[in-house]
Each structure stands twice: as C-alpha cells, then as structure tokens.
Amino acid sequence: MPLPFLTADRAFDAGAEDIALPFDDHDSWRRPYRPGPWRVAAAAALLLLASFVLLAAMIISLAGALSGATACFVLAGLMIVCALRLLRVGAWVSRHGVRRVGFFRTTTVPWERAASVRTVQQPVRWLGLPRTVQGQALIVVRRSGEPLRPLVTDHNADFLARAEAFERATDTIEAWGDEYRTG
C-alpha cells in the first residue's frame, strides 16, 4: 500500500534531479514532507485516549446504561475524527495549485492566481498557540492581493526543531510553484 505522505523525502535521497517531485501523477494532491513528530505524537495521544473511551463505552454498555455508552461511543468517534484531521493539516501541492489544509478550513489557490510562493522572515505562531516567535514562513502571494495565512512555518507541529526538513519542504513547494505558475 503506497503512503503518499512518505514518498516526498525519498526524492531527495534518490539523486540530484531538477524536477519538483518525481511523482508520475502530478494531478493528485501531495504533501511534499512528512508529518512532524509533534503532530504525530498529538494524534497518537488522541487515538490512545479514544481507545480508553471506547473501552469505557464497552464496559458501560455491558452494565446496561445504553445512553452513557452511546455518549462514550460518540465522544470516541469524535476523538478519532479529530486525530485523523490533525494528521491531514499542512500544505498540499498538485498541478492544479497549492492547498493549505487547516483543522477547520481548507484554502486552495490555483497556480494561475498565485503571484509568488516564497519564504519570509516574520513573527510566527509557536505550535499553533497564541504565542508568537520570530521565524520563517512559507507564504503564497496572490495576484489579487488577498492575504493568505502561511502555508507552513518553521515553528509549527511539522517543523519545530527540524530546520533541514523545513528547508527541503519549502524548496519543494517553491519548485512546484515555479514549475506550474509559468506554464
């Protein structure tokens, strides 16, 4: 079973080719980096907690309190959906454009509407919390001038303390932008 989010790092180990990413199908949406350890750990902790809630739901249902068991099953299902959505958060690219997947909202910018994709120094949120620190962010500048939140930052859950992975990911996304914005 191919895992598309794991294949992006192999492109840099394979050799120094000048293509953006070596996928055969550039029409499908790809995340050009692996999910970071903070994001994976949060999702794993959420799934572990969901397993305990499911166990509690089973015990409650065997005791005969079906309303309490139903509430626990719904809570566990919600926790599982949140963990899966947390793993989907990030920047995704394809031939059609660049997509910023957030926890609650997804924004897609077609390459024709993007003026540039570049890395800038600016205050960024630390692990998505309200606290900001000085860091780097990959931004998409739209032709219409509408602001778009940063695609990725060097202090988010994917790249905290992983500067080399951040550089590789931003270079890859910028390469996709250069390849498909010009034609």
Side-chain angles (χ1 to χ4, degrees), residues 29-175:
W29 291 97
R30 305 281 184 175
R31 181 185 356 217
Y33 56 89
R34 292 180 183 200
W38 288 92
R39 185 172 313 283
V40 172
L46 205 54
L47 288 173
L48 181 66
L49 189 58
S51 69
F52 288 126
V53 173
L54 283 172
L55 181 64
M58 184 186 71
I59 292 171
I60 291 170
S61 67
L62 290 176
L66 294 180
S67 63
T70 303
C72 285
F73 279 122
V74 169
L75 178 65
L78 184 65
M79 294 168 84
I80 292 169
V81 168
C82 287
L84 293 176
R85 184 63 182 179
L86 186 62
L87 289 173
R88 297 266 314 159
V89 169
W92 296 73
V93 292
S94 80
R95 178 174 297 162
H96 308 292
V98 62
R99 180 175 283 174
R100 183 192 176 281
V101 178
F103 192 77
F104 294 111
R105 192 169 87 175
T106 299
T107 306
T108 302
V109 178
W111 291 122
E112 303 87 43
R113 293 188 186 160
S116 68
V117 180
R118 64 176 191 253
T119 306
V120 296
Q121 289 280 335
Q122 69 180 34
V124 295
R125 297 173 81 187
W126 184 76
L127 286 177
L129 299 172
R131 178 176 180 233
T132 59
V133 295
Q134 189 64 26
Q136 294 182 4
L138 181 68
I139 62 167
V140 174
V141 178
R142 296 181 187 176
R143 293 190 196 277
S144 64
E146 296 174 39
L148 181 68
R149 292 182 60 194
L151 293 176
V152 294
T153 67
D154 62 345
H155 285 82
N156 70 3
D158 290 322
F159 299 112
L160 187 64
R162 295 177 55 215
E164 184 178 316
F166 176 76
E167 292 297 325
R168 271 197 322 254
T170 55
D171 289 345
T172 302
I173 295 172
E174 289 172 0

